[in-house]
Amino acid sequence: MRRVVWILLFVAAPLCAQQLLTAEEAVKIALENNYDIRLRANDLKIDSENVAIGNAGMLPAVTANVNDNNSRQYIRQVRSDGTINEVNNGLNNNLSYGVNLGWTVFDGLSMFARYDQLKETQKLGEAELQQAILQRIGDVLETYYNLVQQQQQLTAIDTAIAYSRERLSLAENRFSIGKAARLDVLNAQVDLNTDLDSRLTQKALYARTLIELNTLLGRDPKTEFRVAETADVERGLLLPELEENARKQNPQLQAQLINKRISELNLRTIKGQRYPTISVNTGYNFSDTRSSLGFTTQNTNRGFNYGFAATLNVFDGFRQKRNETIAKIQIESATLAVQQQELAVLAAVDAAFQDYLTNLEMADLARENVAIAKRNFEITSDKFRIGTLTPVEVRTAQLNYLNAKVRLSNALYSAKLSELALRELSGTLRLR
């Protein structure tokens, strides 16, 4: 047993030297670095910038203009009395500048509906960002706990290797003193090589998953770290609370509700086109025109102008009515989409909750099997050392113990995935 302990400590030493990455730290890094989250955050910034009364058409538009046109021409004029005026290389100049203001002061309240649409679009962006965060954090935690599971399996295989080395050493000692056949040594060596091969396969899978998690965290794939030894599964989840949270916080359902409100505001915007559009305008303009030849050689104008305009859609080939009908159908479709999404979310919550309960029971059963298999292996090993059992029997007990530990690791991982799925569906996945 001392040899087994020393072998396990030697194998575990490199892992202990690596930096521990907790699940909370992984989530924090992903929130800061994950590219999908950062892209969605930029989309939300654009939506936020668009929420402005000027973007909805509530503010006036002010324009300034300057025009200066010059020409040099040969000009010849013949008047009615026969007089001829002629200028070579005559200069003509036209200078104008001014500032003008135009403002739509009433458009059937459509501008207010457009402003509300911009705010709802921002809320839709927030829901989409929340959905992206939940999905990416769910991926991060799933990969993280997959590493926990694989690390546990590596530990189980290392334990099996330690026992296989001890068994090989015992077989060689017995063979050297004539108490065991050469076949026992060969069998022990084959079993040890099998365990070593299993460890190489598991180690390669663990290394690939490390790279996958580093990629999700948006950092160098070669970054080395270790994860927690166990994954704690919360056992206090209740279906009614999960369903209620899903109705209020599920990002996909919230996005459908926002789309429905946007459709309703779109109908308000279209209905506003039934009313007149009234706009006012004013400005200050200056113009100066000079000509080298003609009855008037200089003309200057300056001053204010102002007025208003009103337009009313009297008849447009029934397009207004058709647009309103289409908008109402879009609202009906959005309502159906909300109902469909709510049903799908609740169904997913119910299914995930059943998986959650089943996986918890399987984890309890697997934990009990590990205790039984461990005790059986200890008894078998003791009997093997005193020579009352064959190598085949002790190997069978060893594999049973190893497989029981692997099944427990898989069961705990499945239970944790069920918990994460419920948290993600209900919008209660911890992000900090």
Side-chain angles (χ1 to χ4, degrees), residues 252-313:
Q252 293 175 312
L253 182 56
Q254 293 304 308
Q256 292 296 348
L257 289 169
I258 294 172
N259 282 325
K260 179 175 177 291
R261 289 195 288 271
I262 291 176
S263 298
E264 293 169 347
L265 291 170
N266 182 54
L267 177 60
R268 281 177 51 190
T269 303
I270 293 174
K271 283 185 175 181
Q273 298 173 7
R274 287 183 174 273
Y275 300 93
T277 300
I278 301 174
S279 59
V280 296
N281 60 82
T282 185
Y284 177 84
N285 292 280
F286 170 86
S287 67
D288 181 69
T289 303
R290 300 185 182 189
S291 178
S292 298
L293 188 65
F295 292 102
T296 303
T297 59
Q298 182 176 359
N299 184 15
T300 302
N301 297 296
R302 65 170 62 88
F304 289 96
N305 61 75
Y306 52 89
F308 79 95
T311 60
L312 177 63
N313 180 17

Side-chain angles (χ1 to χ4, degrees), residues 388-426:
T388 59
L389 288 181
T390 64
V392 175
E393 291 173 314
V394 74
R395 178 61 177 176
T396 300
Q398 180 187 10
L399 291 178
N400 288 339
Y401 180 38
L402 173 63
N403 292 333
K405 295 181 71 174
V406 170
R407 283 194 295 270
L408 174 59
S409 175
N410 291 336
L412 290 173
Y413 176 58
S414 298
K416 191 63 181 181
L417 290 186
S418 300
E419 178 198 335
L420 293 176
L422 287 170
R423 292 292 189 189
E424 184 175 339
L425 286 168
S426 62

